[in-house]
Amino acid sequence: MESGTIVFERTLSELEPLQSSSTLRYVLDDVKNGSKRYGVKITQSIRDCVYEARCGMLCTTKNQCYRLLRFLYENAVTPVHLEDIIQDICNQGLLEGLEQTNECE
């Protein structure tokens, strides 16, 4: 069972030999740990296997996290690429920009 809230779900088609059919889920990771920050989790189900990646405590509001999840969804980011994409976003200062351009909850 998913922890957090599934915000987006995408089904990828079988395109042999380039791509297996799979389902991607983009989840708002709001595990309660005493902080008021939100993270993201991506799961990918391929046949009987589930791959997962999580980056926690990225955003201070749910709205900011929803925007980040939408970016990941629209670009079909998979779990294997999540850490690198988040690292690039942070290195460019875009995460701070995301937080500054969103209204508070």
Side-chain angles (χ1 to χ4, degrees):
M1 186 69 186
E2 300 283 346
S3 65
T5 304
I6 297 173
V7 178
F8 297 105
E9 186 171 280
R10 174 185 297 278
T11 302
L12 301 177
S13 302
E14 184 86 24
L15 299 171
E16 288 293 338
L18 302 172
Q19 171 177 290
S20 297
S21 63
S22 67
T23 301
L24 289 163
R25 291 181 183 88
Y26 300 85
V27 178
L28 174 74
D29 193 12
D30 58 354
V31 176
K32 305 298 182 228
N33 61 359
S35 86
K36 294 194 177 205
R37 296 185 71 87
Y38 302 90
V40 297
K41 180 171 75 170
I42 301 174
T43 63
Q44 185 173 25
S45 302
I46 304 173
R47 296 179 183 92
D48 293 332
C49 298
V50 176
Y51 303 92
E52 178 180 298
R54 170 183 281 139
C55 290
M57 300 186 3
L58 296 169
C59 302
T60 57
T61 68
K62 282 185 181 181
N63 285 340
Q64 294 159 351
C65 203
Y66 286 138
R67 287 178 59 122
L68 179 57
L69 283 167
R70 184 172 181 169
F71 167 80
L72 297 170
Y73 166 78
E74 288 185 0
N75 288 281
V77 173
T78 60
V80 71
H81 296 110
L82 178 61
E83 186 177 334
D84 291 335
I85 297 290
I86 294 298
Q87 186 66 46
D88 287 346
I89 288 170
C90 290
N91 287 344
Q92 294 178 43
L94 298 175
L95 194 57
E96 291 82 10
L98 178 68
E99 293 187 21
Q100 292 170 2
T101 60
N102 284 285
E103 63 278 352
C104 294
E105 291 181 272

